[in-house]
Amino acid sequence: MRRTAPEGHGPVRFGPPLPEDGLPVLPELSAVLAAAGSRGGPEPVGGGPALREAACGYWDRRGLHCAPDRVAAAPGSPALLLALTAALGGDVLVPRPCAAWWAPYARLLGRPAFQVPTPPESGGVPDPYALLETVRRVRDEGGDPRLLVLSVADDPTATVTPPELLHETIEAAQGEGLHLVSDETWRDTLHDPHDTVLLSPAEMVPGRVTVVTDLAGALLPPGWPAAVARFPAGEDGDGLHARVLDILTALDARVAAPIAAASAYALGEPEPVTARVATAVRLHALLADEAHTAVVAAGALARPPRCGRHLYVDLAPLEPALSAHGVGDAQELEDFLTARLGMPAPGGHRFGDDLEAPRVRLSTGALVAGSDTERAECLTSPAPLELPHVHRALIRLKSVFDDLRDDAQRWEPPR
């Protein structure tokens, strides 16, 4: 949200990035990056053998077997989704709300991104009946829907889709001949992995799903851009993989050699990486639960966060207070809460929700912001929420929402 002028109220370049973890870079990752710093030559388009083989091992450990010639790497998920959309052709379907960067890449190619409502219990995956109705309507209007992008572990809602709902939606998509791109960036950030069932669509319909994982979700710092895609087996998958490589070549979308080395190391999941991921997930689960408790206690609505480093908040019950503060839409709410909280609070319109709906995504990474020493303490403290800088951030969050609750009660019209 690095906005410096009123023009920041709309352009894509001012939209929200992926939620950061706010933590120091893992020293072992820094060492691998530094050791590869002298490699000045370019990586092959789609990633070198070491990176692609590491990606295969990562997916094999999750029951998604693949071969290196079914993998492509790029400097971030947007490059992969841009290439996939261009390669598949046709119109794009996305859930509403969805990740802030899904729709812009489709528009960049001149393709409409048709939004499909999600069910009340979770985001990231469209309601199956709404999906069928949207496909029918788009075709009746002369459109050509071919691609559905979804995320079982979701940004922005921080929910995990129940397997039964996922199965119904995939059956509907398969019946309509849609190719699926499953964004699994957040699959390794489940807050309670022993009590949360996460299934990849690629486990259900292996021949119709391309899996995309941005390593900034759990394995790499967001400033080290790298993402990998797993293509389905068969002739269709072969052709799609080849077309995507052609497009990545035209874009010269290569992973830098030092980043490729760090990515291969992280995807191999050695003990330092798995320990850091587990610690970071526990920390952000605590932060998300505390933030969720605070906003719900103030009268706002939010699904309990199950993954990631964020939560999605609906402030509709607090509209009397928002109106009194001159907040009439999601952009004004974004400005208001960003200033009050001292942290980014991108409005729901950034994620495809209606501008009129007072919704925001809050990122837990902002709650651990501080000096290098303070951020490092979050990794070792047995009670990270009691650390002074974290405690202050949580108190500020609670205070802002409590004030809105009190204002709403004050301005509520008598019955």
Side-chain angles (χ1 to χ4, degrees):
M1 306 305 293
R2 302 167 293 280
R3 232 175 24 216
T4 57
E7 69 174 0
H9 281 68
V12 172
R13 66 184 180 275
F14 294 105
L18 286 175
E20 300 183 20
D21 64 9
L23 300 171
V25 176
L26 181 67
E28 288 82 357
L29 272 178
S30 295
V32 173
L33 185 80
S38 61
R39 290 168 52 185
E43 280 282 294
V45 170
L51 177 52
R52 289 184 287 112
E53 288 170 8
C56 288
Y58 168 87
W59 278 311
D60 282 344
R61 290 187 292 276
R62 287 152 181 80
L64 298 175
H65 304 296
C66 65
D69 61 358
R70 299 280 176 181
V71 175
S77 288
L80 285 173
L81 280 171
L82 178 72
L84 281 162
T85 304
L88 285 164
D91 298 329
V92 181
L93 300 165
V94 296
R96 184 173 63 191
C98 68
W101 51 277
W102 284 4
Y105 75 83
R107 291 197 296 266
L108 184 64
L109 293 169
R111 310 274 175 77
F114 294 99
Q115 298 174 325
V116 188
T118 55
E121 62 266 32
S122 63
V125 174
D127 177 88
Y129 301 103
L131 176 63
L132 291 172
E133 174 59 25
T134 302
V135 170
R136 182 198 62 78
R137 176 176 55 81
V138 171
R139 286 180 175 152
D140 286 348
E141 294 173 357
D144 182 20
R146 297 188 194 177
L147 170 61
L148 170 63
V149 187
L150 47 75
S151 57
V152 178
D154 186 45
D155 172 23
T157 65
T159 59
V160 177
T161 303
E164 57 274 15
L165 171 64
L166 179 64
H167 180 74
E168 292 176 6
T169 299
I170 287 177
E171 274 197 334
Q174 194 174 21
E176 297 298 332
L178 302 177
H179 187 89
L180 277 67
V181 168
S182 177
D183 179 0
E184 300 186 7
T185 294
W186 301 103
R187 71 167 295 153
D188 295 323
T189 66
L190 300 186
H191 295 176
D192 189 354
H194 299 295
D195 196 38
T196 305
V197 179
L198 185 150
L199 286 179
S200 169
E203 297 178 67
M204 297 183 176
V205 282
R208 301 289 298 180
V209 179
T210 299
V211 176
V212 172
T213 298
D214 197 303
L215 303 192
L219 299 176
L220 289 184
W224 300 8
V228 287
R230 173 191 180 273
F231 292 82
E235 290 185 10
D236 290 344
D238 287 342
L240 179 59
H241 180 251
R243 293 193 299 275
V244 164
L245 289 180
D246 284 344
I247 295 162
L248 292 176
T249 300
L251 297 172
D252 198 26
R254 305 169 190 263
V255 181
I259 301 296
S263 300
Y265 174 78
L267 285 164
E269 297 182 291
E271 193 278 334
V273 170
T274 56
R276 166 57 72 87
V277 169
T279 301
V281 169
R282 283 195 298 269
L283 170 64
H284 286 282
L286 289 172
L287 291 165
D289 184 62
E290 195 75 7
H292 179 261
T293 298
V295 301
V296 171
L301 304 174
R303 300 182 183 103
R306 304 296 186 201
C307 66
R309 304 186 284 263
H310 52 282
L311 66 158
Y312 199 56
V313 185
D314 186 343
L315 284 82
L318 303 177
E319 279 187 316
L322 297 175
S323 298
H325 287 288
V327 175
D329 61 29
Q331 181 60 63
E332 292 171 350
L333 178 61
E334 175 183 305
D335 296 337
F336 176 78
L337 284 181
T338 296
R340 288 290 184 98
L341 295 171
M343 58 185 275
H349 62 300
R350 305 283 189 184
F351 309 100
D353 256 336
D354 292 335
L355 180 63
E356 293 76 18
R359 296 174 187 147
V360 294
R361 186 191 71 187
L362 302 179
S363 298
T364 53
L367 299 172
V368 301
S371 68
D372 290 346
T373 300
E374 288 174 328
R375 292 185 298 122
E377 280 185 302
C378 293
L379 294 167
T380 57
S381 172
L385 303 190
E386 297 176 12
L387 293 171
H389 71 290
V390 177
H391 184 66
R392 286 193 300 270
L394 288 169
I395 288 295
R396 183 172 185 175
L397 174 72
K398 185 176 186 300
S399 175
V400 168
F401 276 90
D402 283 351
D403 286 348
L404 286 173
R405 177 199 59 204
D406 295 344
D407 289 346
Q409 292 171 349
R410 187 178 305 115
W411 287 96
E412 186 173 304
R415 296 180 180 177

